[in-house]
């Protein structure tokens, strides 16, 4: 196994010393499922939340075929494809959305536990609704990211739960006897006069983040752009709250909302439908603004992703600002809200152009940067 693991990379996600493509939890999930997988037939195995392909390709390398795999982040899905061709294992799996197509008939599910309990509830319910009654879910993670509440969520949908011994700060939960399954449905709330929809694990859930609130309070009265050729862009849209707000506040405006997360995109699409603005808002799953032409946009909004791993935080924002700079036309504006402690202003000045502070409270700063 280790010979293929050595070849796996995180690319196109950020890469840096200390950021790995395979970790001890991946190895434990594979080891704990090895006996079960040895008896598997084609199509028996489903993988959910693989990070960069270690679980899918580890199973394929051991002989599995017909694997259905779902990765929330498009960068993870693309890394899996790149890793598969690097180790010669394309064709052993296919990527499937987190919906009723994913788990029918599954007998073995390899699951990297999500951090969000609501995301775990959606996944566990989906497996219980569609997998074979004999299914075994081998769910693992780093102990520091696990909690006993995860056992409780799994116990809502499985009659039997066994817990592995810890190894290298990782642990596996084995869930059997599926029951009470259900397809995911989004949480719903009315926020700032908008209908908001959030599947489990979407940023802030069906609520308005306080940073996002500060940004909405200060967006311009009459923004540039907003035509079908030059839509207002809600980058890293999460549930789509900023995009939905712009489409309803700026009557008739066209909006493009994008996020790399499948959960976010499903939530944003549901938000637009619930507000009856789906014909004016395009929602896309993409890594940053990959599908947008250069020098094409007049206005982009952004509440950038924040990760607790410092190395990731330091690498993501400059990448996003560089892509924003590529997509803005000269004179185009980036409206950005950020945690004041992150001191993004020099980065914004360098990547995009002159940057003014529009608002600041105890925690957040809102800036507008104009593309030079
Ligand atoms: C702080 S949340 C903001 C969500 C929403 N705009 C709001 O204000 O509620 C950041 C979002 O960035 C998304 N994200 C992270 N990396 C991304 C990438 N490379 N490309 C696009 N979106 C990304 C995350 O999935 C998450 O939904």
């Amino acid at each position: 196994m280790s010979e293929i693991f050595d070849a796996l990379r995180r690319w196109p996600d950020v890469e840096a010393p200390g950021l790995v493509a395979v970790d001890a939890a991946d190895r434990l999930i594979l080891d704990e499922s090895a006996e079960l997988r040895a008896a598997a037939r084609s199509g028996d195995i489903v993988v959910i939340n693989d990070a960069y392909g270690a679980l899918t390709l580890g199973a394929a390398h051991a002989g599995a075929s017909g694997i259905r795999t779902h990765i929330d982040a498009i960068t993870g899905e693309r890394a899996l494809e790149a890793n598969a061709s690097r180790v010669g294992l394309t064709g052993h799996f296919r990527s499937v959305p987190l919906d009723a197509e994913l788990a029918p008939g599954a007998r073995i599910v390899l699951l990297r536990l999500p951090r969000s309990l609501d995301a775990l509830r959606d996944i566990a319910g989906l497996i219980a609704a569609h997998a074979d009654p004999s299914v075994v879910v081998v769910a693992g993670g780093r102990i520091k990211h696990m909690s006993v509440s995860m056992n409780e969520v799994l116990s809502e949908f499985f009659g039997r739960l066994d817990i592995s011994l810890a190894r290298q700060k990782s642990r596996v939960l084995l869930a059997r006897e599926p029951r009470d399954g259900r397809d995911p449905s989004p949480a719903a709330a009315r926020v700032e006069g908008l209908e908001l929809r959030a599947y489990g694990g979407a940023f802030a859930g069906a609520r308005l983040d306080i940073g996002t609130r500060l940004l909405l309070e200060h967006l311009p009265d009459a923004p540039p752009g907003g035509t079908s050729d030059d839509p207002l862009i809600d980058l890293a849209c999460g549930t789509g709250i900023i995009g939905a707000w712009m489409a309803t506040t700026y009557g008739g405006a066209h909006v493009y909302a994008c996020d790399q997360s499948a959960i976010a995109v499903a939530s944003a699409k549901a938000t637009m439908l619930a507000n009856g603005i789906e014909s004016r808002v395009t929602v896309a799953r993409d890594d940053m603004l990959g599908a947008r032409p250069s020098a094409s946009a007049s206005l982009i909004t952004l509440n950038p992703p924040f990760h607790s791993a410092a190395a990731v935080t330091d690498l993501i924002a400059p990448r996003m600002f560089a892509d924003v700079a590529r997509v803005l036309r000269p004179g185009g504006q980036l409206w950005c809200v950020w945690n004041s402690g992150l001191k993004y202003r020099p980065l914004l000045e360098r990547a995009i152009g002159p940057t003014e502070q529009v608002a600041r409270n105890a925690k957040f700063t809102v800036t507008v940067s104009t593309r030079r």
Side-chain angles (χ1 to χ4, degrees), residues 25-26 28-30 32-33 36 46 48-49 55 108-114 120 123-124 127 136-142 146 150-151 154 158 161-165 170-176:
D26 294 323
L28 188 60
I29 293 169
L30 286 167
E32 290 284 333
S33 63
L36 294 164
V46 166
I48 304 178
N49 267 354
L55 298 177
I108 302 164
V109 177
L110 308 183
L111 168 64
R112 204 47 218 245
L113 286 161
L120 180 57
I123 291 166
I127 298 169
V136 183
V137 182
V138 184
R142 307 289 285 163
M146 293 171 71
M150 292 181 167
N151 306 14
L154 287 171
F158 295 91
L161 194 66
D162 298 297
I163 302 172
S164 80
L165 292 175
S170 305
R171 199 185 281 289
V172 156
L173 310 173
L174 292 138
R176 295 181 172 86

Side-chain angles (χ1 to χ4, degrees), residues 93-108:
F93 65 90
R94 67 191 164 91
S95 290
V96 179
L98 188 70
D99 63 16
E101 238 195 286
L102 180 62
R107 291 167 193 269
I108 302 164

Side-chain angles (χ1 to χ4, degrees), residues 143-163:
I143 290 170
K144 66 180 174 189
H145 297 143
M146 293 171 71
S147 68
V148 285
S149 310
M150 292 181 167
N151 306 14
E152 286 156 23
V153 170
L154 287 171
S155 297
E156 290 172 28
F157 300 101
F158 295 91
R160 179 172 161 199
L161 194 66
D162 298 297
I163 302 172

Side-chain angles (χ1 to χ4, degrees), residues 75 203-204 209 212 234-239 241-242 258-261 264 286-288 303-307 316 319-320:
T75 43
F203 172 78
D209 170 65
T212 308
D234 176 7
L235 168 58
C237 66
T239 56
I241 180 123
I242 302 174
C258 58
D259 199 291
Q260 72 154 352
S261 153
D286 202 356
D287 180 16
M288 302 184 286
N303 179 357
F306 176 78
H307 291 257
I316 281 188
R319 263 170 41 123
M320 281 209 161

